[in-house]
Amino acid sequence: MVKVLFFASLRARLGTAEHCLEDFSGSVAELRNRLGELFPDWQAPLQAADIQAAVNQEIAAATTRITDGDEVAFFPPVTGG
């Protein structure tokens, strides 16, 4: 199982904080596509150019591989002070 978390304005736009996928193995880009297939309303928000991803709490590229047991987070850019 892959646990997918959504943060900040993305969470509000999707209407959920998390989703779990059984039997997923692929890249971050493939996960975005799979979620968009399962939930068509999520396609545009997840594909937005500014949405970042982290796998197991480390910033991830679109090509980063995801395997069973991983935690993936999607979030908009953040700033700090």
Side-chain angles (χ1 to χ4, degrees):
M1 175 179 72
V2 173
K3 184 176 184 179
V4 185
L5 305 173
F6 308 104
F7 290 97
S9 60
L10 182 61
R11 176 190 312 184
R13 190 156 180 206
L14 300 182
T16 189
E18 68 180 66
H19 182 76
C20 293
L21 280 178
E22 297 289 334
D23 301 319
F24 179 82
S25 180
S27 68
V28 169
E30 291 167 332
L31 177 60
R32 288 179 195 246
N33 291 335
R34 173 76 61 85
L35 291 169
E37 291 168 1
L38 293 172
F39 305 98
D41 290 344
W42 292 11
Q43 186 70 34
L46 286 173
Q47 296 296 337
D50 65 340
I51 296 299
Q52 299 175 357
V55 176
N56 299 324
Q57 300 183 5
E58 293 193 20
I59 297 297
T63 56
T64 300
R65 300 300 298 171
I66 300 165
T67 58
D68 191 49
D70 284 346
E71 178 184 84
V72 180
F74 290 106
F75 51 95
V78 294
T79 61

